[in-house]
Amino acid sequence: MGYLYVLGTILFTVYGQLVMKWRISKFGSLPEPFIDKLLFLIKLVFDPFIFSSLLSAFIASLFWMAAMTKFNISYAYPFMSFSYVLVFIFSIFIFKEPITVYKMVGLVFIVIGIIISSRSIS
């Protein structure tokens, strides 16, 4: 069950990041004047999709708390790096972001790091 909690954390985190990027890109850039920034951010928070991404972050936190009852943090936390991999993959298809050699090499290192850190030395 612990792995399902980690998976829930990852999936809700990825959902929140992707939806937030998608919706914020529809609103444009952050204005310069402070009051305009504040009004802009308030408008963002009340967008239903952005609100769902904030709610998703909260739900991811609940899953993470449950995962912490099952695993040591030093074991579970590296799995959170899968969120980088998923966001990268989805951003290619959803946002048409470029694939570069540096990004690919970085992702390979992340996956290798997850594999290495998930091995327990007994």
Side-chain angles (χ1 to χ4, degrees):
M1 195 67 185
Y3 290 104
L4 289 177
Y5 296 145
V6 172
L7 179 64
T9 305
I10 293 167
L11 293 178
F12 278 100
T13 299
V14 169
Y15 167 84
Q17 295 301 311
L18 294 171
V19 168
M20 189 169 291
K21 174 60 180 167
W22 167 62
R23 288 305 294 165
I24 287 175
S25 67
K26 303 288 183 191
F27 282 87
S29 297
L30 190 65
E32 285 301 318
F34 175 76
I35 191 70
D36 291 341
K37 283 181 188 175
L38 186 60
L39 294 172
F40 181 83
L41 293 173
I42 290 170
K43 186 167 74 170
L44 288 178
V45 168
F46 288 103
D47 177 81
F49 289 105
I50 290 178
F51 187 79
S52 79
S53 72
L54 297 172
L55 181 61
S56 178
F58 176 73
I59 294 169
S61 298
L62 296 177
F63 272 96
W64 187 245
M65 286 189 283
M68 290 297 91
T69 68
K70 303 293 183 187
F71 300 114
N72 291 328
I73 192 167
S74 62
Y75 175 77
Y77 197 71
F79 287 102
M80 293 306 299
S81 298
F82 277 126
S83 63
Y84 295 116
V85 175
L86 291 174
V87 167
F88 174 74
I89 292 167
F90 284 117
S91 69
I92 292 167
F93 295 106
I94 296 171
F95 305 118
K96 308 295 185 228
E97 292 189 3
I99 303 171
T100 67
V101 172
Y102 291 114
K103 288 180 183 178
M104 294 303 297
V105 169
L107 285 175
V108 168
F109 280 129
I110 288 170
V111 172
I112 290 170
I114 294 168
I115 292 168
I116 291 170
S117 65
S118 69
R119 303 277 186 234
S120 62
I121 301 173
S122 301

